[in-house]
């Protein structure tokens, strides 16, 4: 068996996906992103509040009332 035959039989641990930022193929080192740059862009969006996970309807964040 040659090295190429072995590579064709190996099943990757993660499916190949496109980078969520730019659409290029992702790399193993920065999965699911294609580069460190795209990874940092995504992190900045989370930290700056661009991405938000909504809470339950009627839930208030800054409530001074204490539950009894």
């Amino acid at each position: 068996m040659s090295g190429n035959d072995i590579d064709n039989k190996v099943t990757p641990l993660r499916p190949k996906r496109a980078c969520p930022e730019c659409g290029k193929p992702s790399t193993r080192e920065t999965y699911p992103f294609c580069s460190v740059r795209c990874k940092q862009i995504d992190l900045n969006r989370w930290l700056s509040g661009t991405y938000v996970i909504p809470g339950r309807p009627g839930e208030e964040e800054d409530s001074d009332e204490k539950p009894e």
Side-chain angles (χ1 to χ4, degrees), residues 6 11 25 41-42 48 51 68:
I6 293 172
T11 304
I41 289 170
D42 184 74
S48 67
Y51 295 149
E68 294 179 22

Side-chain angles (χ1 to χ4, degrees), residues 14 17 25-35:
R14 297 179 181 146
R17 293 188 178 173
S26 62
T27 63
R28 182 177 217 153
E29 296 81 24
T30 57
Y31 187 82
F33 305 98
C34 70
S35 65

Side-chain angles (χ1 to χ4, degrees), residues 5 11 25 41 53-55 60:
D5 291 337
T11 304
I41 289 170
I53 298 174
E60 293 189 26

Side-chain angles (χ1 to χ4, degrees), residues 4-50:
N4 196 17
D5 291 337
I6 293 172
D7 291 340
N8 290 335
K9 292 183 180 183
V10 174
T11 304
L13 296 176
R14 297 179 181 146
K16 291 191 176 190
R17 293 188 178 173
C19 174
E21 290 299 320
C22 68
K24 293 180 184 176
S26 62
T27 63
R28 182 177 217 153
E29 296 81 24
T30 57
Y31 187 82
F33 305 98
C34 70
S35 65
V36 174
R37 180 180 181 272
C38 283
K39 196 173 189 177
Q40 290 175 344
I41 289 170
D42 184 74
L43 177 61
N44 181 50
R45 288 182 178 161
W46 279 105
L47 296 176
S48 67
T50 302

